[in-house]
Amino acid sequence: MPLSTQLQGDDEQYVLVASLDNARNISNILKAIAFKDHAIFNATPNGLRVTVEDSKCLQANAFIQAEIFQEFTIREDLVGFQVNLTVLLDCLNIFGGTTVPGVSTALRMCYKGYGYPLTLFLEEGGVVTVCKINTEEPEEPIDFEFCSTNVINKVILQSESLKEPFSEMDMTSEVLQITMSPSPPYFRLSTFGMAGNAHYDYPKDSDVMELFRCTKTQTNRYKISLLKPSTKALALSCKVSVRTDSRGFLSLQYLVRNDDGQICFVEYYCCPDEEVE
Amino acid sequence: MDCVVTGGNVKVLAKAIHSLSRIGDELYVEPQEDGLALRSVNSSRSAYACFLFAPLFFSRYTIPSGHTFRCKMLIKSVQAVFRSLASLEKTVEKCHIELDKHKDRLTFTLHCKHGLLKTHNLSFQDSESLQAVFDKDSCANVFRAQPRLLVDTVVHFPPSLEEVTLAVSDERMWVRNHVEEDSEQSKAMLTELCLASDEFDHYAVQAHNSITFCLKELRGLLVFAEATGLPISMYFDDPGRYAYPYTVVISDSVLEGDFVLATLSDDPNHRKHNTRRTQTPVPPPPDDFMNDDIDSYLIAMDTSIAQGPSTTCPPTPALAESTHSKEPAAANHRTRKHSEEEEEVAEGETADSGRPPNKKFCSLFFGSVLPSSSQMSTQPVTTQEVLASDSEDDT
């Protein structure tokens, strides 16, 4: 491959080198969390975690395991930096995002360490582009302290069934209310807009309900403006798990299959707007 | 009120609502004995549409007993219930419409596949009855055609086109875009199509005339017709008698959609008087005392006094004058009524000045629920000229 032969000599300097034959395997998943300009990158030998946050109430994470990459070399236990996600996505799509089958953009992402830019080598059809994106001091991602032992209610749904309520959500409503209960309506999404209110009910024995584990009735409201961006992750995914803990914090986990059928995860955490019992 | 729509009829209901949204912003809902009426009217009251769904359209149809229930709501809110038409067909098994009077809410519940339930509780306002007065059965010109014919005709006109003129003779119908009198003739593009009478399922012309109406408002019906494949009937009358609305009807055994559009008279003799400047017939200048139509002149003087806010008009040539002054002759018994309506309309007109062309269509007459047989006209001002045409004088 032209890229690796050209640049092997430089490898010694990089603390992180990650290569993909198809850049879409990373750009698609990053688009699902790109509701803000800045993203925090954290790489460990397990893979890459990209975090985007909004007003300290919402956090989205994309996880791309090391196995997804054709090459993933890391020289430290933890490599962290912050970049402008919009710029990064523009670079990843620099060849115009062609959807012609068989043609893809190859990516080699390299980072020398603190203070150095993130270097991207992109190649398509023999043409190579080099992008250097300035990095910033990485902020510490918020720890929402969401642990599975604290989970009160959990459901796993087929993403297809949730696409409609999320994409058609009444944006004149300030909140999205989620009710989860061992008794009817079991799982309900509600909005309270100018014209009236709307409810989407999913019975526990529905075909689309892959897992239903609700122990206690909980109704929580979340700012609709914070949750609306998760619609992108929903669109990419095939399954979604919805969990709430004792504080009413919401965890949405999306199972995404990339172009090559490999699995990646996207996760959203959201604080409740107010507690409604 | 408690109605249930099942299967494919849910999509038909949704399409009807989308059609009505092309007319006005509000949906008037009235459950009647003979079915559920959904109506809409545009802001200038020059276009009205009503879909009546017979009880057989529903798998359950129960209306509130006692006093009649009527309400109106924002049509956008109802459209939100039926947003994705494509998925409606695939996923919705039935739609339940229920009135919860205590909470002032009309509840639309969609029962979908996989046990999913979508409930929309929409708020509404009580409303007066919305019923345009029109009597299509007495129209001089009646046509019926497959929707394909009209859809294929309309496709030749740009979506932004407002006004279209239909001219009919015994054998043919011409459809062309209406170009403003005062617009640059050299810059205007004229498109004209001709349809032969045998392309229609039914073609009956008693009066050779032409009408101009707003096409935009009709497009909603055409989309509905194309989707349902139901034939379209059209009715219009001789503008010489009343300035009649153009009525388009689509129906089958369980539903009927009526679209009533106000028309502009397109008769060349009257065209001058259809501009905003000229709203009333002009009394002839003193010289015309020598004219044969001295009687008509006196009557014209009468009517000009009876009228409300008439505007001054430039004097017109004697010949054209004589035609116009004849008009009030047969109609002077109506002048008082029309002066009242004229005031209404004139107010509407001045308020609407500067708005897009279709605002010069006068308001349709909205009367009581029971249509009165005598009063069926719509545009007092422009009809001042057309009320009594030459043909009427001859009879």
Side-chain angles (χ1 to χ4, degrees):
Chain A
M1 281 199 47
L3 278 180
S4 41
T5 48
Q6 266 176 33
L7 308 148
Q8 231 142 30
D10 293 335
D11 270 10
E12 298 301 312
Q13 311 169 33
Y14 295 119
V15 297
L16 173 69
V17 176
S19 299
L20 278 172
D21 285 345
N22 184 357
R24 267 207 301 277
N25 287 343
I26 191 174
S27 63
N28 278 348
I29 207 170
L30 291 182
K31 272 187 224 162
I33 62 168
F35 51 86
K36 283 273 168 186
D37 278 341
H38 284 83
I40 307 163
F41 277 67
N42 277 304
T44 67
N46 289 329
L48 192 62
R49 173 191 171 192
V50 185
T51 306
V52 178
E53 287 172 351
D54 188 353
S55 47
K56 304 211 182 292
C57 294
L58 180 81
Q59 182 184 87
N61 295 294
F63 295 94
I64 308 154
Q65 298 107 288
E67 294 75 49
I68 307 280
F69 295 91
Q70 271 66 58
E71 180 197 347
F72 193 86
T73 310
I74 185 167
R75 291 183 195 281
E76 285 169 22
D77 287 336
L78 177 68
V79 174
F81 54 86
Q82 196 165 299
V83 287
N84 185 315
L85 188 56
T86 312
V87 171
L88 175 63
L89 282 170
D90 283 345
C91 293
L92 291 174
N93 285 304
I94 207 155
F95 286 100
T98 171
T99 49
V100 176
V103 178
S104 62
T105 309
L107 164 73
R108 192 154 192 269
M109 194 162 65
C110 309
Y111 181 60
K112 281 188 189 171
Y114 185 80
Y116 288 92
L118 179 69
T119 308
L120 305 175
F121 297 92
L122 295 138
E123 182 266 331
E124 187 179 294
V127 179
V128 180
T129 307
V130 183
C131 306
K132 288 192 173 157
I133 309 172
N134 285 337
T135 56
E136 288 162 45
E137 187 85 40
E139 282 167 18
E140 192 66 35
I142 300 171
D143 182 359
F144 277 67
E145 291 175 4
F146 195 99
C147 51
S148 26
T149 48
N150 229 355
V151 170
I152 306 258
N153 292 315
K154 173 175 177 173
V155 301
I156 298 182
L157 287 159
Q158 286 173 14
S159 301
E160 194 61 47
S161 63
L162 273 181
K163 279 178 191 163
E164 229 179 88
F166 270 83
S167 54
E168 293 175 5
M169 223 183 276
D170 180 4
M171 294 309 288
T172 64
S173 168
E174 283 204 11
V175 296
L176 175 69
Q177 179 175 284
I178 302 182
T179 304
M180 293 171 85
S181 168
S183 49
Y186 302 116
F187 182 71
R188 170 180 277 190
L189 301 172
S190 310
T191 51
F192 307 90
M194 273 172 26
N197 52 48
H199 306 289
Y200 287 82
D201 294 347
Y202 296 79
K204 69 173 181 183
D205 52 359
S206 165
D207 288 344
V208 300
M209 187 74 73
E210 297 214 350
L211 179 91
F212 185 86
R213 217 183 279 155
C214 292
T215 60
K216 184 180 135 191
T217 303
Q218 272 188 313
T219 303
N220 289 296
R221 292 181 172 200
Y222 307 91
K223 275 207 160 47
I224 213 168
S225 53
L226 291 177
L227 285 185
K228 183 73 180 170
S230 69
T231 312
K232 270 199 219 147
L234 186 64
L236 273 183
S237 65
C238 46
K239 278 192 221 189
V240 55
S241 115
V242 182
R243 301 178 300 165
T244 48
D245 70 3
S246 54
R247 307 164 297 169
F249 276 57
L250 176 70
S251 150
L252 299 166
Q253 291 174 317
Y254 303 90
L255 195 155
V256 177
R257 275 190 202 279
N258 65 16
D259 283 358
D260 300 314
Q262 297 162 307
I263 290 174
C264 299
F265 288 95
V266 173
E267 187 176 66
Y268 272 72
Y269 288 113
C270 192
C271 304
D273 200 40
E274 55 184 83
E275 186 89 357
V276 177
E277 281 306 320
Chain B
M1 173 180 153
D2 191 350
C3 313
V4 177
V5 183
T6 48
N9 279 354
V10 178
K11 191 171 176 187
V12 173
L13 179 69
K15 279 206 171 282
I17 291 168
H18 285 298
S19 278
L20 290 171
S21 71
R22 307 282 276 258
I23 298 273
D25 293 331
E26 285 176 319
L27 181 71
Y28 290 76
V29 179
E30 186 169 351
Q32 302 167 176
E33 287 272 338
D34 57 350
L36 179 68
L38 300 178
R39 302 186 174 101
S40 188
V41 67
N42 71 354
S43 51
S44 56
R45 305 217 144 200
S46 61
Y48 158 94
C50 170
F51 276 95
L52 182 68
F53 295 94
L56 280 177
F57 178 81
F58 303 87
S59 55
R60 177 159 84 232
Y61 185 72
T62 321
I63 59 171
S65 56
H67 69 96
T68 45
F69 167 69
R70 280 192 287 266
C71 74
K72 65 176 179 179
M73 54 185 77
L74 276 178
I75 209 167
K76 269 211 184 84
S77 325
V78 190
Q79 280 181 291
V81 179
F82 301 102
R83 188 157 301 180
S84 163
L85 288 174
S87 72
L88 264 181
E89 212 170 12
K90 283 185 267 177
T91 60
V92 179
E93 286 163 3
K94 72 179 183 196
C95 170
H96 188 190
I97 306 170
E98 212 175 359
L99 171 64
D100 188 353
K101 209 145 192 190
H102 301 293
K103 298 183 196 165
D104 282 340
R105 293 274 199 259
L106 194 61
T107 303
F108 288 79
T109 310
L110 296 177
H111 295 251
C112 308
K113 278 199 326 210
H114 308 300
L116 286 108
L117 214 67
K118 293 180 197 174
T119 311
H120 285 78
N121 296 308
L122 302 178
S123 54
F124 59 80
Q125 286 174 287
D126 287 326
S127 83
E128 72 289 354
S129 176
L130 182 77
Q131 173 80 49
V133 177
F134 60 100
D135 182 8
K136 57 185 193 273
D137 296 319
S138 73
C139 279
N141 299 332
V142 179
F143 312 89
R144 191 170 65 248
Q146 293 303 314
R148 186 84 266 156
L149 179 71
L150 297 174
V151 168
D152 285 349
T153 302
V154 153
V155 82
H156 292 94
F157 298 97
S160 57
L161 177 67
E162 299 252 340
E163 291 146 11
V164 144
T165 302
L166 280 187
V168 294
S169 71
D170 285 332
E171 294 295 314
R172 298 196 202 297
M173 175 186 284
W174 285 268
V175 186
R176 62 174 177 271
N177 58 326
H178 179 79
V179 177
E180 281 300 310
E181 283 307 299
D182 23 359
S183 70
E184 273 283 329
Q185 288 294 322
S186 57
K187 290 185 186 163
M189 178 165 90
L190 289 169
T191 307
E192 187 177 85
L193 284 101
C194 182
L195 302 170
S197 59
D198 57 9
E199 293 186 73
F200 291 80
D201 293 348
H202 178 77
Y203 189 97
V205 169
Q206 285 175 36
H208 297 189
N209 64 339
S210 64
I211 54 161
T212 299
F213 60 91
C214 185
L215 180 63
K216 249 205 244 186
E217 278 146 355
L218 197 59
R219 282 185 191 267
L221 175 87
L222 292 176
V223 170
F224 181 84
E226 202 180 8
T228 54
L230 296 171
I232 300 174
S233 301
M234 305 184 286
Y235 305 81
F236 58 91
D237 214 334
D238 177 0
R241 280 199 281 157
Y242 314 103
Y244 213 82
Y246 172 51
T247 309
V248 184
V249 177
I250 185 166
S251 66
D252 73 2
S253 53
V254 290
L255 70 88
E256 179 174 315
D258 295 325
F259 276 61
V260 185
L261 306 173
T263 60
L264 249 185
S265 166
D266 204 48
D267 199 317
N269 281 341
H270 308 144
R271 208 172 277 159
K272 249 194 273 279
H273 291 260
N274 287 335
T275 61
R276 273 206 206 99
R277 279 175 284 120
T278 329
Q279 287 189 1
T280 59
V282 180
D287 281 345
D288 285 353
F289 267 87
M290 295 301 120
N291 193 302
D292 284 346
D293 293 316
I294 185 167
D295 286 344
S296 314
Y297 166 68
L298 291 170
I299 291 161
M301 291 297 289
D302 248 316
T303 54
S304 61
I305 291 165
Q307 284 149 16
S310 57
T311 56
T312 52
C313 316
T316 49
L319 227 80
E321 271 311 320
S322 60
T323 321
H324 295 125
S325 55
K326 261 191 214 170
E327 290 142 13
N332 60 354
H333 66 284
R334 288 210 181 101
T335 51
R336 194 164 305 156
K337 247 192 252 179
H338 285 290
S339 67
E340 286 162 11
E341 285 179 34
E342 210 185 291
E343 262 160 41
E344 243 177 61
V345 174
E347 278 162 18
E349 289 259 13
T350 49
D352 288 339
S353 60
R355 291 182 76 174
N358 69 348
K359 295 301 179 274
K360 72 170 171 282
F361 292 103
C362 301
S363 315
L364 294 169
F365 182 68
F366 284 82
S368 63
V369 176
L370 300 167
S372 55
S373 47
S374 57
Q375 190 57 52
M376 290 190 279
S377 68
T378 60
Q379 311 146 63
V381 172
T382 51
T383 60
Q384 205 58 33
E385 295 79 357
V386 307
L387 274 172
S389 71
D390 288 341
S391 58
E392 197 155 319
D393 276 344
D394 292 340
T395 53

Coordinates of all heavy atoms in Angstrom, one line a residue, chain A residues 64-104:
Chain A
I64 N -14.6 2.7 19.2 CA -14.2 1.9 18.0 C -13.0 1.1 18.5 O -11.9 1.6 18.8 CB -13.7 2.9 16.9 CG1 -14.8 3.9 16.6 CG2 -13.4 2.1 15.6 CD1 -14.3 5.2 16.0
Q65 N -13.3 -0.2 18.6 CA -12.3 -1.1 19.2 C -11.1 -1.2 18.3 O -11.2 -1.1 17.0 CB -12.8 -2.5 19.4 CG -13.9 -2.6 20.4 CD -15.2 -2.9 19.7 OE1 -15.7 -1.9 19.0 NE2 -15.7 -4.1 19.7
A66 N -9.9 -1.6 18.9 CA -8.7 -1.7 18.1 C -8.8 -2.7 17.0 O -8.2 -2.5 15.9 CB -7.6 -2.2 19.1
E67 N -9.7 -3.8 17.2 CA -9.8 -4.8 16.1 C -10.4 -4.3 14.8 O -10.3 -4.9 13.8 CB -10.7 -5.9 16.7 CG -10.2 -6.8 17.8 CD -10.2 -6.0 19.1 OE1 -11.3 -5.5 19.5 OE2 -9.2 -6.0 19.8
I68 N -11.1 -3.1 14.9 CA -11.8 -2.6 13.7 C -10.7 -2.0 12.8 O -10.9 -2.1 11.6 CB -12.7 -1.4 14.1 CG1 -13.7 -1.9 15.2 CG2 -13.4 -0.8 12.9 CD1 -14.9 -2.6 14.7
F69 N -9.6 -1.6 13.4 CA -8.6 -0.9 12.5 C -7.7 -2.0 11.9 O -7.4 -3.1 12.5 CB -7.7 0.0 13.4 CG -8.4 1.2 14.0 CD1 -9.1 1.1 15.2 CD2 -8.5 2.4 13.3 CE1 -9.8 2.2 15.7 CE2 -9.2 3.4 13.8 CZ -9.9 3.3 15.0
Q70 N -7.2 -1.7 10.7 CA -6.2 -2.6 10.1 C -4.9 -2.5 10.8 O -4.2 -3.5 10.8 CB -6.1 -2.2 8.6 CG -7.1 -2.9 7.6 CD -8.5 -2.5 7.9 OE1 -8.8 -1.3 7.8 NE2 -9.4 -3.4 8.2
E71 N -4.6 -1.4 11.4 CA -3.4 -1.2 12.1 C -3.7 -0.3 13.3 O -4.4 0.7 13.1 CB -2.3 -0.6 11.3 CG -1.0 -0.4 12.0 CD -0.1 0.6 11.4 OE1 -0.3 0.9 10.2 OE2 0.9 1.0 12.0
F72 N -3.4 -0.7 14.5 CA -3.6 0.1 15.7 C -2.4 0.0 16.6 O -2.3 -1.0 17.3 CB -4.9 -0.3 16.4 CG -5.4 0.7 17.4 CD1 -6.2 1.8 17.0 CD2 -5.1 0.6 18.7 CE1 -6.7 2.7 17.9 CE2 -5.5 1.5 19.7 CZ -6.3 2.6 19.3
T73 N -1.6 1.0 16.6 CA -0.3 0.9 17.4 C -0.4 2.1 18.4 O -0.5 3.2 18.0 CB 0.9 1.1 16.5 OG1 0.8 0.1 15.4 CG2 2.2 0.8 17.3
I74 N -0.2 1.8 19.6 CA -0.2 2.8 20.7 C 1.0 2.6 21.6 O 1.2 1.5 22.0 CB -1.5 2.8 21.4 CG1 -1.6 4.0 22.4 CG2 -1.9 1.5 22.1 CD1 -3.0 4.3 22.9
R75 N 1.7 3.6 21.8 CA 3.0 3.5 22.6 C 2.8 3.9 24.1 O 3.8 3.8 24.8 CB 4.1 4.3 22.0 CG 4.5 3.7 20.6 CD 5.7 4.5 20.1 NE 5.9 4.2 18.6 CZ 6.4 3.1 18.2 NH1 6.9 2.2 19.0 NH2 6.5 2.9 16.9
E76 N 1.6 4.3 24.4 CA 1.4 4.7 25.8 C 0.1 4.0 26.3 O -0.7 3.6 25.5 CB 1.3 6.2 26.0 CG 2.7 6.9 25.9 CD 2.5 8.4 25.7 OE1 1.5 8.9 26.1 OE2 3.5 9.1 25.2
D77 N -0.1 4.1 27.6 CA -1.3 3.4 28.1 C -2.6 4.3 27.7 O -3.6 3.7 27.5 CB -1.3 3.3 29.6 CG -0.3 2.2 30.0 OD1 -0.1 1.3 29.2 OD2 0.2 2.2 31.2
L78 N -2.4 5.6 27.7 CA -3.5 6.4 27.4 C -3.0 7.6 26.6 O -2.1 8.3 27.0 CB -4.2 6.9 28.7 CG -5.3 7.9 28.5 CD1 -6.5 7.3 27.8 CD2 -5.8 8.5 29.8
V79 N -3.6 7.8 25.5 CA -3.2 9.0 24.7 C -4.5 9.8 24.5 O -5.5 9.3 24.1 CB -2.8 8.6 23.2 CG1 -2.5 9.8 22.4 CG2 -1.5 7.7 23.4
G80 N -4.4 11.1 24.9 CA -5.6 11.9 24.9 C -5.4 13.2 24.2 O -4.3 13.8 24.4
F81 N -6.3 13.7 23.4 CA -6.2 15.1 22.8 C -7.6 15.5 22.4 O -8.6 14.7 22.5 CB -5.3 15.1 21.6 CG -5.6 14.1 20.5 CD1 -6.6 14.3 19.6 CD2 -5.0 12.8 20.5 CE1 -6.9 13.4 18.6 CE2 -5.3 11.8 19.6 CZ -6.3 12.1 18.6
Q82 N -7.7 16.8 22.1 CA -9.0 17.3 21.7 C -8.8 18.0 20.4 O -7.9 18.7 20.1 CB -9.4 18.4 22.8 CG -10.9 18.7 22.7 CD -11.3 19.5 24.0 OE1 -11.2 18.9 25.1 NE2 -11.7 20.7 23.8
V83 N -9.8 17.7 19.5 CA -9.8 18.4 18.1 C -11.1 18.9 17.8 O -12.2 18.5 18.4 CB -9.3 17.4 17.0 CG1 -7.8 17.1 17.1 CG2 -10.2 16.2 17.0
N84 N -11.1 19.7 16.7 CA -12.4 20.2 16.2 C -13.0 19.1 15.3 O -12.4 18.7 14.3 CB -12.2 21.4 15.4 CG -13.5 22.0 14.9 OD1 -14.4 21.4 14.4 ND2 -13.6 23.4 15.0
L85 N -14.1 18.5 15.8 CA -14.7 17.4 15.1 C -15.2 17.7 13.8 O -15.2 16.9 12.8 CB -15.8 16.8 16.0 CG -16.5 15.5 15.6 CD1 -15.5 14.4 15.5 CD2 -17.6 15.1 16.6
T86 N -15.8 18.9 13.6 CA -16.3 19.3 12.3 C -15.2 19.3 11.3 O -15.4 18.8 10.1 CB -16.9 20.7 12.4 OG1 -17.8 20.8 13.5 CG2 -17.7 21.1 11.2
V87 N -14.0 19.8 11.7 CA -12.9 19.9 10.8 C -12.4 18.5 10.4 O -12.1 18.1 9.3 CB -11.7 20.7 11.4 CG1 -10.4 20.6 10.5 CG2 -12.1 22.2 11.5
L88 N -12.4 17.6 11.5 CA -11.9 16.3 11.3 C -12.8 15.5 10.3 O -12.4 14.8 9.4 CB -11.9 15.5 12.6 CG -11.6 14.0 12.6 CD1 -10.2 13.8 12.0 CD2 -11.7 13.4 13.9
L89 N -14.1 15.7 10.4 CA -15.1 15.0 9.5 C -14.9 15.6 8.1 O -15.0 14.8 7.1 CB -16.5 15.2 10.0 CG -16.9 14.3 11.2 CD1 -18.2 14.7 11.8 CD2 -16.9 12.8 10.7
D90 N -14.7 16.9 8.0 CA -14.5 17.5 6.6 C -13.3 16.8 6.0 O -13.3 16.5 4.8 CB -14.3 19.0 6.7 CG -15.6 19.7 7.0 OD1 -16.7 19.1 6.8 OD2 -15.5 20.9 7.3
C91 N -12.2 16.6 6.8 CA -11.0 16.0 6.2 C -11.3 14.5 5.8 O -10.9 14.1 4.8 CB -9.9 16.0 7.2 SG -9.3 17.7 7.6
L92 N -12.0 13.8 6.7 CA -12.2 12.4 6.4 C -13.1 12.3 5.1 O -13.0 11.3 4.4 CB -13.0 11.7 7.5 CG -12.1 11.5 8.8 CD1 -13.0 11.0 9.9 CD2 -11.0 10.6 8.6
N93 N -13.8 13.3 4.8 CA -14.7 13.3 3.6 C -14.1 14.1 2.5 O -14.8 14.5 1.5 CB -16.1 13.8 3.9 CG -16.9 12.8 4.7 OD1 -17.0 11.7 4.3 ND2 -17.3 13.2 5.9
I94 N -12.8 14.3 2.5 CA -12.2 15.2 1.6 C -12.3 14.8 0.1 O -12.2 15.6 -0.8 CB -10.7 15.5 2.0 CG1 -10.3 16.9 1.5 CG2 -9.8 14.4 1.5 CD1 -9.1 17.4 2.3
F95 N -12.4 13.5 -0.1 CA -12.6 13.0 -1.4 C -14.0 13.0 -1.9 O -14.3 12.4 -2.9 CB -11.9 11.6 -1.6 CG -10.4 11.6 -1.6 CD1 -9.7 11.3 -0.4 CD2 -9.7 12.0 -2.7 CE1 -8.3 11.3 -0.4 CE2 -8.4 12.0 -2.7 CZ -7.7 11.7 -1.6
G96 N -14.9 13.6 -1.1 CA -16.2 13.8 -1.6 C -17.2 12.7 -1.1 O -18.3 12.7 -1.5
G97 N -16.7 11.8 -0.3 CA -17.7 10.8 0.2 C -18.3 10.0 -0.8 O -19.6 9.9 -0.9
T98 N -17.6 9.4 -1.7 CA -18.2 8.7 -2.8 C -18.8 7.4 -2.3 O -18.4 6.8 -1.4 CB -17.1 8.3 -3.9 OG1 -17.7 7.4 -4.8 CG2 -15.9 7.6 -3.2
T99 N -20.0 7.0 -2.9 CA -20.6 5.8 -2.5 C -20.5 4.7 -3.6 O -21.3 3.8 -3.6 CB -22.1 6.1 -2.2 OG1 -22.7 6.8 -3.3 CG2 -22.3 6.9 -0.9
V100 N -19.6 4.9 -4.5 CA -19.4 3.9 -5.5 C -18.8 2.6 -4.8 O -17.8 2.7 -4.1 CB -18.3 4.4 -6.6 CG1 -18.0 3.4 -7.6 CG2 -18.8 5.7 -7.2
P101 N -19.4 1.5 -5.1 CA -19.0 0.3 -4.4 C -17.6 -0.1 -4.9 O -17.2 0.0 -6.1 CB -20.0 -0.8 -4.8 CG -20.7 -0.3 -6.0 CD -20.6 1.2 -5.9
G102 N -16.8 -0.5 -3.9 CA -15.4 -0.9 -4.3 C -14.4 0.2 -4.1 O -13.2 0.0 -4.0
V103 N -14.9 1.4 -4.2 CA -14.0 2.6 -4.0 C -14.1 3.1 -2.6 O -15.2 3.5 -2.2 CB -14.3 3.7 -5.1 CG1 -13.4 4.9 -4.9 CG2 -14.2 3.1 -6.5
S104 N -13.0 3.2 -1.9 CA -13.1 3.8 -0.6 C -11.9 4.6 -0.3 O -10.9 4.5 -0.9 CB -13.3 2.7 0.5 OG -12.2 1.9 0.5

